[in-house]
Amino acid sequence: MYKKTFTTAAAVVLSATLFAQSKPEDTEVWEPVPTVVTPGKVTTEAPSDAIVLFDGKSLDQWVSVDNPEQPAKWKVGGGAFTVDKSTGNIQTKRSFTNYQLHIEWRIPKDITGTGQGRGNSGLFLASTGKGDDGYELQILDNFNNKTYVNGQAASIYKQTPPLVNANRKPGEWQTYDIVWTAPRFNSDGSLQSPARVTVFFNGVLVQNNTELQGPTKYIGKASYAKAHGACPIKLQAHGDKSEPLSFRNIWIREL
């Protein structure tokens, strides 16, 4: 009994020590840099069986992540809505498992900042909790803006870089078309099959049935530590100082 208790306590101390020694830079990958590809012009209307998550008029399909009983308070105008960093992340009222998602976003033409501090946001394909818990597809200005490649636009953040860099210029609308397959878990909570995602960025394939290592982690390696079911989709109000970006034309098809 004494020996078991000592071993468990030692393991906790060791784990805490290793975490304290970890840094965000430990999981930043800088090479190889994805080739730049110039995308064609893309417009996509919602099909007849889609659930419209933003119709250009209201955020009635969205709520505050910090308080899901409260409506999302980001700013709606001109057929789009703009991140309000003072009110925090927002997420869909509904939860989803497998789906096809279309979303359009725009970095301000007058964007300032560099690296991760330039139009940063995140599309969480499944939000597993408050804050930034979940599986993040990165949103960022990477038109002539260098950062670690598993943190640039269309990366599975801190996991998988995009196949190519298909960014448009700041001020132009960008599109993500996504097929999301949620992870599955056994009755005992162990992983049965990992999450997978395919992403077209401005019509260009950038994630090809990519297998995720687990929910996003800013520090350390991702893993499937906790089983979950259907989840909301979340948009991030990132804390960088650059000008806030906007979204429009969001729809989803459950699969």
Side-chain angles (χ1 to χ4, degrees):
M1 183 70 178
Y2 176 78
K3 182 177 180 180
K4 182 178 180 180
T5 302
F6 177 79
T7 302
T8 302
V12 171
V13 172
L14 177 60
S15 177
T17 300
L18 291 174
F19 181 81
Q21 293 173 344
S22 298
K23 303 183 295 296
E25 293 82 359
D26 293 342
T27 49
E28 294 174 3
V29 178
W30 288 83
E31 293 181 337
V33 177
T35 302
V36 175
V37 170
T38 302
K41 294 183 178 180
V42 181
T43 56
T44 306
E45 295 182 356
S48 60
D49 63 347
I51 299 168
V52 176
L53 296 177
F54 180 67
D55 62 1
K57 300 176 182 178
S58 76
L59 283 170
D60 59 3
Q61 295 295 318
W62 300 79
V63 295
S64 165
V65 170
D66 291 336
N67 187 352
E69 301 300 318
Q70 296 294 322
K73 296 181 180 179
W74 291 7
K75 303 169 185 176
V76 178
F81 64 92
T82 300
V83 177
D84 183 345
K85 297 184 182 184
S86 68
T87 62
N89 299 344
I90 65 172
Q91 67 184 24
T92 56
K93 288 182 177 178
R94 305 189 196 193
S95 293
F96 303 96
T97 305
N98 304 326
Y99 59 77
Q100 173 189 349
L101 175 69
H102 176 87
I103 185 169
E104 300 176 16
W105 50 276
R106 181 178 63 189
I107 301 291
K109 188 175 182 180
D110 61 349
I111 192 71
T112 58
T114 59
Q116 292 289 301
R118 189 175 172 89
N120 197 326
S121 183
L123 168 60
F124 286 80
L125 304 168
S127 173
T128 57
K130 291 190 175 183
D132 294 337
D133 290 347
Y135 306 80
E136 183 182 4
L137 177 67
Q138 175 73 316
I139 295 174
L140 189 73
D141 173 35
N142 284 119
F143 188 86
N144 297 329
N145 177 41
K146 186 177 180 180
T147 188
Y148 45 95
V149 297
N150 61 344
Q152 73 175 62
S155 66
I156 306 304
Y157 186 69
K158 284 296 186 80
Q159 294 189 42
T160 310
L163 295 172
V164 296
N165 179 344
N167 281 258
R168 300 184 190 277
K169 296 178 181 179
E172 298 183 10
W173 283 100
Q174 324 246 14
T175 66
Y176 280 161
D177 287 288
I178 299 157
V179 178
W180 171 253
T181 302
R184 297 176 64 186
F185 299 89
N186 297 308
S187 58
D188 64 357
S190 61
L191 181 68
Q192 183 180 123
S193 58
R196 290 184 174 274
V197 67
T198 295
V199 180
F200 288 85
F201 184 17
N202 294 325
V204 180
L205 181 66
V206 291
Q207 298 287 347
N208 186 12
N209 195 30
T210 300
E211 180 179 310
L212 278 74
Q213 301 162 15
T216 298
K217 290 188 69 174
Y218 179 50
I219 298 176
K221 295 288 187 179
S223 65
Y224 291 95
K226 184 179 179 181
H228 62 82
C231 296
I233 293 167
K234 178 164 56 186
L235 294 175
Q236 183 188 49
H238 193 269
D240 71 279
K241 296 180 180 180
S242 66
E243 295 73 12
L245 70 157
S246 301
F247 296 89
R248 72 177 185 186
N249 191 20
I250 307 175
W251 52 262
I252 191 170
R253 297 179 62 248
E254 295 182 282
L255 303 176

PDB file of all heavy atoms in Angstrom, residues 170-183:
ATOM      1  N   PRO A 170      -5.432  40.333 -47.871  1.00  0.00           N
ATOM      2  CA  PRO A 170      -6.319  40.954 -46.885  1.00  0.00           C
ATOM      3  C   PRO A 170      -7.326  41.864 -47.589  1.00  0.00           C
ATOM      4  O   PRO A 170      -6.999  42.551 -48.561  1.00  0.00           O
ATOM      5  CB  PRO A 170      -5.367  41.757 -46.003  1.00  0.00           C
ATOM      6  CG  PRO A 170      -4.066  41.041 -46.107  1.00  0.00           C
ATOM      7  CD  PRO A 170      -3.998  40.553 -47.528  1.00  0.00           C
ATOM      8  N   GLY A 171      -8.557  41.841 -47.098  1.00  0.00           N
ATOM      9  CA  GLY A 171      -9.621  42.623 -47.711  1.00  0.00           C
ATOM     10  C   GLY A 171     -10.478  41.817 -48.661  1.00  0.00           C
ATOM     11  O   GLY A 171     -11.572  42.261 -49.037  1.00  0.00           O
ATOM     12  N   GLU A 172     -10.017  40.619 -49.060  1.00  0.00           N
ATOM     13  CA  GLU A 172     -10.780  39.743 -49.946  1.00  0.00           C
ATOM     14  C   GLU A 172     -11.402  38.597 -49.139  1.00  0.00           C
ATOM     15  O   GLU A 172     -10.827  38.124 -48.168  1.00  0.00           O
ATOM     16  CB  GLU A 172      -9.877  39.170 -51.043  1.00  0.00           C
ATOM     17  CG  GLU A 172      -9.263  40.227 -51.948  1.00  0.00           C
ATOM     18  CD  GLU A 172      -8.428  39.612 -53.069  1.00  0.00           C
ATOM     19  OE1 GLU A 172      -8.490  38.380 -53.251  1.00  0.00           O
ATOM     20  OE2 GLU A 172      -7.715  40.373 -53.744  1.00  0.00           O
ATOM     21  N   TRP A 173     -12.582  38.165 -49.565  1.00  0.00           N
ATOM     22  CA  TRP A 173     -13.252  37.073 -48.883  1.00  0.00           C
ATOM     23  C   TRP A 173     -12.568  35.733 -49.187  1.00  0.00           C
ATOM     24  O   TRP A 173     -12.172  35.477 -50.320  1.00  0.00           O
ATOM     25  CB  TRP A 173     -14.722  36.998 -49.265  1.00  0.00           C
ATOM     26  CG  TRP A 173     -15.543  38.052 -48.575  1.00  0.00           C
ATOM     27  CD1 TRP A 173     -15.970  39.233 -49.101  1.00  0.00           C
ATOM     28  CD2 TRP A 173     -15.995  38.023 -47.218  1.00  0.00           C
ATOM     29  NE1 TRP A 173     -16.673  39.960 -48.163  1.00  0.00           N
ATOM     30  CE2 TRP A 173     -16.709  39.238 -46.996  1.00  0.00           C
ATOM     31  CE3 TRP A 173     -15.879  37.112 -46.172  1.00  0.00           C
ATOM     32  CZ2 TRP A 173     -17.291  39.541 -45.764  1.00  0.00           C
ATOM     33  CZ3 TRP A 173     -16.466  37.419 -44.946  1.00  0.00           C
ATOM     34  CH2 TRP A 173     -17.157  38.607 -44.755  1.00  0.00           C
ATOM     35  N   GLN A 174     -12.427  34.909 -48.165  1.00  0.00           N
ATOM     36  CA  GLN A 174     -11.827  33.585 -48.268  1.00  0.00           C
ATOM     37  C   GLN A 174     -12.879  32.539 -47.904  1.00  0.00           C
ATOM     38  O   GLN A 174     -13.816  32.824 -47.148  1.00  0.00           O
ATOM     39  CB  GLN A 174     -10.658  33.456 -47.275  1.00  0.00           C
ATOM     40  CG  GLN A 174      -9.847  34.715 -47.089  1.00  0.00           C
ATOM     41  CD  GLN A 174      -8.421  34.583 -47.586  1.00  0.00           C
ATOM     42  OE1 GLN A 174      -8.073  33.657 -48.309  1.00  0.00           O
ATOM     43  NE2 GLN A 174      -7.575  35.502 -47.188  1.00  0.00           N
ATOM     44  N   THR A 175     -12.727  31.313 -48.410  1.00  0.00           N
ATOM     45  CA  THR A 175     -13.702  30.270 -48.110  1.00  0.00           C
ATOM     46  C   THR A 175     -13.021  29.002 -47.608  1.00  0.00           C
ATOM     47  O   THR A 175     -11.943  28.629 -48.074  1.00  0.00           O
ATOM     48  CB  THR A 175     -14.537  29.896 -49.349  1.00  0.00           C
ATOM     49  OG1 THR A 175     -13.696  29.292 -50.333  1.00  0.00           O
ATOM     50  CG2 THR A 175     -15.209  31.107 -49.955  1.00  0.00           C
ATOM     51  N   TYR A 176     -13.672  28.388 -46.634  1.00  0.00           N
ATOM     52  CA  TYR A 176     -13.347  27.028 -46.219  1.00  0.00           C
ATOM     53  C   TYR A 176     -14.558  26.148 -46.542  1.00  0.00           C
ATOM     54  O   TYR A 176     -15.691  26.468 -46.157  1.00  0.00           O
ATOM     55  CB  TYR A 176     -13.112  26.948 -44.707  1.00  0.00           C
ATOM     56  CG  TYR A 176     -11.765  27.394 -44.207  1.00  0.00           C
ATOM     57  CD1 TYR A 176     -11.601  27.739 -42.861  1.00  0.00           C
ATOM     58  CD2 TYR A 176     -10.651  27.471 -45.037  1.00  0.00           C
ATOM     59  CE1 TYR A 176     -10.372  28.146 -42.368  1.00  0.00           C
ATOM     60  CE2 TYR A 176      -9.423  27.889 -44.547  1.00  0.00           C
ATOM     61  CZ  TYR A 176      -9.278  28.227 -43.218  1.00  0.00           C
ATOM     62  OH  TYR A 176      -8.058  28.635 -42.730  1.00  0.00           O
ATOM     63  N   ASP A 177     -14.302  25.047 -47.243  1.00  0.00           N
ATOM     64  CA  ASP A 177     -15.294  24.000 -47.433  1.00  0.00           C
ATOM     65  C   ASP A 177     -14.735  22.744 -46.794  1.00  0.00           C
ATOM     66  O   ASP A 177     -13.646  22.277 -47.173  1.00  0.00           O
ATOM     67  CB  ASP A 177     -15.602  23.790 -48.920  1.00  0.00           C
ATOM     68  CG  ASP A 177     -16.439  24.930 -49.477  1.00  0.00           C
ATOM     69  OD1 ASP A 177     -17.635  24.990 -49.131  1.00  0.00           O
ATOM     70  OD2 ASP A 177     -15.905  25.761 -50.232  1.00  0.00           O
ATOM     71  N   ILE A 178     -15.466  22.198 -45.840  1.00  0.00           N
ATOM     72  CA  ILE A 178     -14.927  21.207 -44.905  1.00  0.00           C
ATOM     73  C   ILE A 178     -15.815  19.977 -44.843  1.00  0.00           C
ATOM     74  O   ILE A 178     -17.053  20.093 -44.812  1.00  0.00           O
ATOM     75  CB  ILE A 178     -14.844  21.837 -43.490  1.00  0.00           C
ATOM     76  CG1 ILE A 178     -13.904  23.054 -43.496  1.00  0.00           C
ATOM     77  CG2 ILE A 178     -14.415  20.818 -42.442  1.00  0.00           C
ATOM     78  CD1 ILE A 178     -14.171  24.026 -42.375  1.00  0.00           C
ATOM     79  N   VAL A 179     -15.195  18.809 -44.813  1.00  0.00           N
ATOM     80  CA  VAL A 179     -15.894  17.566 -44.487  1.00  0.00           C
ATOM     81  C   VAL A 179     -15.275  17.040 -43.190  1.00  0.00           C
ATOM     82  O   VAL A 179     -14.082  16.732 -43.148  1.00  0.00           O
ATOM     83  CB  VAL A 179     -15.766  16.518 -45.608  1.00  0.00           C
ATOM     84  CG1 VAL A 179     -16.464  15.218 -45.191  1.00  0.00           C
ATOM     85  CG2 VAL A 179     -16.367  17.046 -46.912  1.00  0.00           C
ATOM     86  N   TRP A 180     -16.083  16.965 -42.153  1.00  0.00           N
ATOM     87  CA  TRP A 180     -15.622  16.583 -40.815  1.00  0.00           C
ATOM     88  C   TRP A 180     -16.203  15.235 -40.420  1.00  0.00           C
ATOM     89  O   TRP A 180     -17.420  15.029 -40.475  1.00  0.00           O
ATOM     90  CB  TRP A 180     -16.035  17.640 -39.803  1.00  0.00           C
ATOM     91  CG  TRP A 180     -15.819  17.286 -38.355  1.00  0.00           C
ATOM     92  CD1 TRP A 180     -16.787  16.965 -37.442  1.00  0.00           C
ATOM     93  CD2 TRP A 180     -14.576  17.232 -37.649  1.00  0.00           C
ATOM     94  NE1 TRP A 180     -16.222  16.719 -36.207  1.00  0.00           N
ATOM     95  CE2 TRP A 180     -14.866  16.880 -36.311  1.00  0.00           C
ATOM     96  CE3 TRP A 180     -13.248  17.449 -38.008  1.00  0.00           C
ATOM     97  CZ2 TRP A 180     -13.877  16.732 -35.339  1.00  0.00           C
ATOM     98  CZ3 TRP A 180     -12.258  17.313 -37.042  1.00  0.00           C
ATOM     99  CH2 TRP A 180     -12.575  16.958 -35.741  1.00  0.00           C
ATOM    100  N   THR A 181     -15.321  14.319 -40.040  1.00  0.00           N
ATOM    101  CA  THR A 181     -15.722  13.038 -39.481  1.00  0.00           C
ATOM    102  C   THR A 181     -15.287  13.010 -38.026  1.00  0.00           C
ATOM    103  O   THR A 181     -14.089  13.040 -37.728  1.00  0.00           O
ATOM    104  CB  THR A 181     -15.084  11.868 -40.241  1.00  0.00           C
ATOM    105  OG1 THR A 181     -15.451  11.946 -41.626  1.00  0.00           O
ATOM    106  CG2 THR A 181     -15.543  10.525 -39.676  1.00  0.00           C
ATOM    107  N   ALA A 182     -16.245  12.984 -37.128  1.00  0.00           N
ATOM    108  CA  ALA A 182     -15.956  13.069 -35.697  1.00  0.00           C
ATOM    109  C   ALA A 182     -15.281  11.794 -35.200  1.00  0.00           C
ATOM    110  O   ALA A 182     -15.467  10.714 -35.759  1.00  0.00           O
ATOM    111  CB  ALA A 182     -17.243  13.305 -34.924  1.00  0.00           C
ATOM    112  N   PRO A 183     -14.496  11.911 -34.121  1.00  0.00           N
ATOM    113  CA  PRO A 183     -13.908  10.707 -33.524  1.00  0.00           C
ATOM    114  C   PRO A 183     -15.001   9.840 -32.899  1.00  0.00           C
ATOM    115  O   PRO A 183     -16.062  10.337 -32.511  1.00  0.00           O
ATOM    116  CB  PRO A 183     -12.971  11.274 -32.450  1.00  0.00           C
ATOM    117  CG  PRO A 183     -13.584  12.588 -32.087  1.00  0.00           C
ATOM    118  CD  PRO A 183     -14.171  13.126 -33.361  1.00  0.00           C
TER     119      PRO A 183
END
